[in-house]
Amino acid sequence: MTSPRATGLATIGLLAVTAVWGSTFVLIKDVVGRMSVVDFLAVRFAIAAVVMLVLFARPVLRLGWPQLVRGLGLGVLYGFAQWLQTEGLSLTSPSVSGFVTGMYVVFTPLLAWALLGQRMPAVTWVAVALATIGLAVLALHGFEVDLGVWLTLASAALYGLHIIGLSRWSRPGEAFGMSAVQMVGIATVSLCSTLPHGPSLPPDNAAWIAVLYMALVAGAGAMLVQTWAQAHLPATRAAIVMTTEPVFAAGFAVVLGYDALTLRMAIGGLMVLAAMYLVELMPRRKGEPSAETLHHEV
């Protein structure tokens, strides 16, 4: 039984992690303007993988071969999702990228229905329609959608696949080990994408600070806090907290001068956010199963 104090601390911790994730959209946008996407991802995830292997060496060694293979496979999938998301962010605004990335919450039950035959609540179809209209408001320029939006949408679909795989293969007590192994898979994909020359290092001190922040604070550190927090929170409360990530992303983008707050952004973003809440909260209220919400950032 979790105490109210632990629940409150876990909520604050998870909210802080979500704010950190939201801040990364602006940071990544700045860094990939000065170094290539593949180099940025390779350096970031190589550092994060080394740190997590050092921290979680024992949990990794306790994993059996099937779990090691599954963890690496999920990491590879996640690595491709990260690449698509970051390439997309280099071509679109941080606020739009944040809201489009949040579509993984809508994609997850759709993919579970299509691939696993899981029953999908009727409200999910309403959420899909609402999210589609919201994305159109956010991203359409006439009758065209930027390539960055399409790439980010594809990454959201891969994040949905990752959530489904993790929900089927993760086991109690293996979270730290599986997280570290997945990070190795992500780093492998990122490093391979820089071949044959290998990754180039960040060009200046500011880029190094951003990469280290992404690797250590938004990566390894955030995963530690998230894992602890979600052990003390009901899934519904965690879902509510984590769906604020696009709001933080847009907020940082506006405050730091990367985007201007427009009526179009507000309306489109609210529609996408409403769709995310519908998918996560309505099935639970009715006693129906809902896709487990796990975050895409590592």
Side-chain angles (χ1 to χ4, degrees), residues 63-123:
L63 294 175
W65 278 108
Q67 287 297 83
L68 285 172
V69 172
R70 289 165 180 164
L72 285 173
L74 288 172
V76 168
L77 177 65
Y78 200 102
F80 279 109
Q82 278 283 316
W83 172 66
L84 288 172
Q85 181 191 10
T86 309
E87 289 283 8
L89 177 55
S90 70
L91 300 172
T92 191
S93 71
S95 57
V96 170
S97 178
F99 283 112
V100 177
T101 299
M103 282 289 290
Y104 75 90
V105 176
V106 178
F107 273 123
T108 300
L110 282 173
L111 291 168
W113 168 70
L115 299 176
L116 305 177
Q118 292 183 4
R119 188 166 65 89
M120 192 165 69
V123 71

Side-chain angles (χ1 to χ4, degrees), residues 17-188:
V17 167
T18 307
V20 168
W21 286 328
S23 72
T24 62
F25 288 87
V26 171
L27 285 176
I28 294 172
K29 181 73 173 177
D30 179 65
V31 173
V32 298
R34 291 179 288 136
M35 63 185 297
S36 73
V37 168
V38 292
D39 288 336
F40 163 73
L41 292 175
V43 176
R44 173 193 174 188
F45 286 117
I47 293 171
V50 170
V51 170
M52 293 196 74
L53 283 176
V54 170
L55 290 174
F56 304 132
R58 288 185 179 179
V60 169
L61 292 174
R62 286 198 294 265
L63 294 175
W65 278 108
Q67 287 297 83
L68 285 172
V69 172
R70 289 165 180 164
L72 285 173
L74 288 172
V76 168
L77 177 65
Y78 200 102
F80 279 109
Q82 278 283 316
W83 172 66
L84 288 172
Q85 181 191 10
T86 309
E87 289 283 8
L89 177 55
S90 70
L91 300 172
T92 191
S93 71
S95 57
V96 170
S97 178
F99 283 112
V100 177
T101 299
M103 282 289 290
Y104 75 90
V105 176
V106 178
F107 273 123
T108 300
L110 282 173
L111 291 168
W113 168 70
L115 299 176
L116 305 177
Q118 292 183 4
R119 188 166 65 89
M120 192 165 69
V123 71
T124 302
W125 292 110
V126 177
V128 169
L130 188 62
T132 302
I133 296 170
L135 283 175
V137 173
L138 274 170
L140 274 178
H141 300 285
F143 291 98
E144 295 182 355
V145 177
D146 290 343
L147 176 61
V149 172
W150 286 118
L151 292 174
T152 309
L153 201 59
S155 77
L158 291 184
Y159 287 133
L161 284 175
H162 177 266
I163 290 169
I164 292 170
L166 196 59
S167 68
R168 288 178 68 86
W169 292 330
S170 62
R171 296 171 183 169
E174 294 182 345
F176 292 111
M178 282 288 283
S179 297
V181 172
Q182 287 180 82
M183 190 68 77
V184 172
I186 300 168
T188 300

Side-chain angles (χ1 to χ4, degrees), residues 104-105 163 226 230 235 238-239 242-243 280 284 291-295:
Y104 75 90
V105 176
I163 290 169
Q226 182 192 4
Q230 289 200 247
M242 293 163 71
T243 50
E280 282 300 327
R284 299 179 196 274
E292 189 69 20
T293 302
L294 302 174
H295 197 266

